[in-house]
Amino acid sequence: MNSLLSSFRLAHIASGVVLFACAVFLTNRDEGFAQDAAVAAPPAKPAYKGMRLCAQCHEDRLESQFNRDFCRLNESTIFEKQDRHFQAYELLVNSPLAKQMAARLEIDLKTERSCLNCHADWNPDHGDTRPPTLEMGVNCEACHGPSSLWDNQHQVIDNTWRIRSAKEKSDLGMWDVRDPVRRAEICISCHIGDHGQQRFITHKMYAAGHPQLPAFELATFERRMPPHWRRAQEKGDFQFRDRYINEANRPEFPETRDLLIGGLMSFRATLLLVAGPKDPPRALDFAQFDCQACHHELQSPAWRQVRDFPGQIGRLRANEWSQVLANTAQGVTDLGQEWDDGLKKISAAFERSPFGDPELLRAAVHGKNENVGFSQRLRIAGDGLRRVPLDSETVKRFSDKLVAVALKQPVDYHSARQLAWALVVLDSESAAGVPGGFQALPERDAGAPMDAAAVAARRKVEEHNWNQFVAWCEGIRRNSEEQAQGDLKRVDEILGLELPGTTCALVGKRLPDYGTRMAERLCRSAKYRPVEFRDAVREFQGRRAPNPPKAAGN
């Protein structure tokens, strides 16, 4: 796989030179360029160009002429060497479990779009055109959008692309991953599912052996990718910083914000999957319900029979885990009574018949006639969370609320994992704060070229700020996360909180054995007892500092 990417780089080195020459030319044009580009009508539809062009600049080449104040230009290197998304296609076509599924489903994994849509980003936007870098799995454009209309423009050395509006960039095909709502939607489209993008697991796929999709918590999954980005407060000084950071995306406690928004958006995605698309309607699929509602060992007495059950007993229900964090997040939105009303309508649709009334469910989720559906209100509420101020006391209250949820009544295995992941994120981010000691970049004229001395001075500051960030990551942030994980050690022993296949040392050496990992997780799920989880959470509660120090810089 590494040689494949190298061959792409060599084959397209000429185009890289051309792109760089274009960037230099555009930099020296008059200042009207950015304005002209902003009002010019873009071509009809952005197209996918593939990861090979991204790698020409983002592969950590020391001779690069681009500044590294904003991004490190090592993003594709991190992705190729450390990120499991790079192996998604190879896992699909070469793992024993995938081959077993292909035989049972009688499909060709190299052409089956229902598989390649997530494992190689062959989404409906591509049409029948094979993605240019299919073998590189879920790569750059899967998250950043088709690049044909914006790739050249975002390379302009004067950095004016940075201050173009999110809408301008979106019109050219670049998705705004700085927006936590949009970022959550992108991740969720595969990690939970999206009918609109034809990305969803079916009961038939599960029966053939597909691993059960784990509960999804945005901030935890981002931590485990590993990140190839720095958040605004982690970058130090960079050109146009004041204009780049605005109230649309408040910078404080970004992981807590991701957790809350991700909770709402996960619940929304689950409802949309269960209800199915509005037009044309689809039959309900068992895969979109709680698997353990049917697939559990029959015991008496059993915790499932004694806990409070919302709605009519014995009916199938959507995955419980998706609502756990949403319940906390909605408390800081403007949903108010709409939250309770929406839940009542959905509950009524499920009580109407053994598998739910599809028409009532679609009306509740999507809306009917002029009424806005619950799913749309959840998205609007998530967007509002981007601008809600957060401080250490607020984060502590969120954490306390989740502990109270864990102690109040029995929760299922997947909900327990959601709660534990969230507690690690909230407590560790609050303790770590943000890196400090950054230096300001030397002053420069935006349109004037820099001489060798100015370039050297700028690079010295860039390296200092990068080293400050790395030292913070390897010191304070790592220690805070390890402390939070240590406090939840007993919970981890019960649930198994580590996500499969995210250890950097494994990547590039062998494919993860998801068959074995699936068996281990199913075994934990079968043995799970809520009373043991609650006892472990009580231990955690007693171990936490009653008033953790406020995070510096937040």
Side-chain angles (χ1 to χ4, degrees), residues 9-166:
R9 291 168 182 157
L10 292 173
H12 291 268
I13 190 68
S15 62
V17 173
V18 172
L19 289 172
F20 181 74
C22 291
V24 174
F25 169 72
L26 291 171
T27 303
N28 291 289
R29 290 185 60 182
D30 58 63
E31 294 182 357
F33 165 73
Q35 182 177 357
D36 292 342
V39 299
K45 187 177 181 180
Y48 291 81
K49 298 174 68 175
M51 179 183 171
R52 58 180 177 266
L53 292 181
C54 306
Q56 290 174 356
C57 294
H58 293 271
E59 64 175 355
D60 203 17
R61 292 183 298 152
L62 295 177
E63 71 275 13
S64 171
Q65 299 299 306
F66 294 98
N67 297 324
R68 296 174 182 238
D69 56 348
F70 186 74
C71 63
R72 188 63 180 172
L73 298 179
N74 62 353
E75 293 76 23
S76 66
T77 303
I78 292 176
F79 173 77
E80 176 190 350
K81 294 183 177 180
Q82 301 180 21
D83 198 317
R84 284 295 186 199
H85 290 91
F86 187 70
Q87 290 185 318
Y89 176 82
E90 187 178 0
L91 180 70
L92 175 68
V93 298
N94 289 327
S95 71
L97 180 59
K99 292 177 180 178
Q100 166 196 300
M101 287 184 60
R104 290 178 176 177
L105 296 173
E106 298 181 342
I107 58 175
D108 182 354
L109 294 171
K110 295 183 178 180
T111 60
E112 178 57 46
R113 295 288 293 276
S114 63
C115 302
L116 294 170
N117 203 350
C118 277
H119 280 267
D121 192 38
W122 195 343
N123 62 55
D125 288 341
H126 285 287
D128 293 329
T129 303
R130 186 179 187 274
T133 48
L134 187 79
E135 295 83 359
M136 295 178 186
V138 184
N139 58 65
C140 309
E141 290 175 307
C143 297
H144 294 280
S147 63
S148 64
L149 303 184
W150 56 263
D151 181 56
N152 286 2
Q153 295 188 39
H154 97 290
Q155 297 185 45
V156 177
I157 298 176
D158 66 6
N159 294 331
T160 53
W161 173 260
R162 189 174 301 164
I163 54 175
R164 301 269 289 273
S165 71

Side-chain angles (χ1 to χ4, degrees), residues 238-481:
F238 58 86
Q239 192 176 4
F240 304 126
R241 179 184 176 90
D242 291 341
R243 295 174 65 182
Y244 181 84
I245 299 177
N246 55 65
E247 289 297 311
N249 291 296
R250 293 186 65 98
E252 72 273 10
F253 290 96
E255 290 186 301
T256 297
R257 198 176 303 278
D258 284 355
L259 186 147
L260 296 172
I261 291 174
L264 278 181
M265 300 306 291
S266 293
F267 184 47
R268 176 178 184 264
T270 299
L271 294 178
L272 288 170
L273 275 181
V274 173
K278 188 174 183 180
D279 186 29
R282 292 174 57 96
L284 299 177
D285 190 287
F286 286 148
Q288 313 313 334
F289 292 90
D290 176 15
C291 296
Q292 272 72 33
C294 294
H295 295 283
H296 65 266
E297 292 188 24
L298 298 179
Q299 298 176 344
S300 183
W303 63 268
R304 287 182 174 84
Q305 279 73 53
V306 299
R307 66 173 179 162
D308 292 336
F309 192 93
Q312 193 166 332
I313 294 176
R315 295 286 169 83
L316 282 181
R317 58 188 300 175
N319 290 313
E320 294 180 40
W321 67 261
S322 65
Q323 194 177 332
V324 169
L325 299 184
N327 279 329
T328 297
Q330 64 86 23
V332 289
T333 69
D334 62 353
L335 282 169
Q337 188 60 38
E338 289 181 272
W339 173 260
D340 292 332
D341 292 344
L343 294 182
K344 287 178 182 177
K345 290 179 181 179
I346 290 165
S347 179
F350 276 116
E351 292 182 19
R352 189 74 172 267
S353 63
F355 300 107
D357 185 310
E359 186 175 345
L360 276 182
L361 191 56
R362 279 191 289 270
V365 173
H366 294 292
K368 190 173 183 180
N369 300 326
E370 300 300 320
N371 296 324
V372 175
F374 192 40
S375 65
Q376 183 60 20
R377 281 297 294 127
L378 289 174
R379 196 191 191 286
I380 294 171
D383 189 66
L385 280 174
R386 295 166 56 201
R387 294 174 287 276
V388 172
L390 296 176
D391 56 33
S392 57
E393 294 301 322
T394 304
V395 175
K396 176 66 165 55
R397 285 197 298 272
F398 289 147
S399 182
D400 290 342
K401 285 181 180 179
L402 296 183
V403 169
V405 170
L407 297 177
K408 183 178 180 181
Q409 66 177 13
V411 296
D412 71 353
Y413 171 78
H414 304 287
S415 299
R417 292 182 99 203
Q418 282 286 94
L419 291 167
W421 283 331
L423 289 171
V424 171
V425 169
L426 293 171
D427 285 12
S428 61
E429 183 179 38
S430 185
V434 295
F438 292 133
Q439 295 178 358
L441 290 169
E443 295 291 333
R444 58 166 292 193
D445 294 331
M450 292 188 294
D451 58 25
V455 171
R458 186 181 184 88
R459 289 292 166 86
K460 184 176 180 180
V461 173
E462 289 174 0
E463 288 304 305
H464 169 83
N465 289 348
W466 170 254
N467 290 333
Q468 290 293 114
F469 169 68
V470 171
W472 174 76
C473 286
E474 296 179 350
I476 295 175
R477 184 161 75 173
R478 178 180 294 176
N479 291 340
S480 67
E481 188 170 353

Side-chain angles (χ1 to χ4, degrees), residues 199-258:
R199 292 172 167 169
F200 51 89
I201 295 291
T202 66
H203 197 249
K204 187 176 182 180
M205 292 179 186
Y206 278 148
H210 194 291
Q212 182 185 8
L213 294 181
F216 178 78
E217 197 288 290
L218 179 62
T220 299
F221 276 57
E222 287 174 333
R223 283 185 173 190
R224 295 294 176 263
M225 282 184 63
H228 54 258
W229 62 86
R230 288 176 290 168
R231 299 178 187 272
Q233 289 181 302
E234 299 169 353
K235 291 180 184 290
D237 193 17
F238 58 86
Q239 192 176 4
F240 304 126
R241 179 184 176 90
D242 291 341
R243 295 174 65 182
Y244 181 84
I245 299 177
N246 55 65
E247 289 297 311
N249 291 296
R250 293 186 65 98
E252 72 273 10
F253 290 96
E255 290 186 301
T256 297
R257 198 176 303 278
D258 284 355

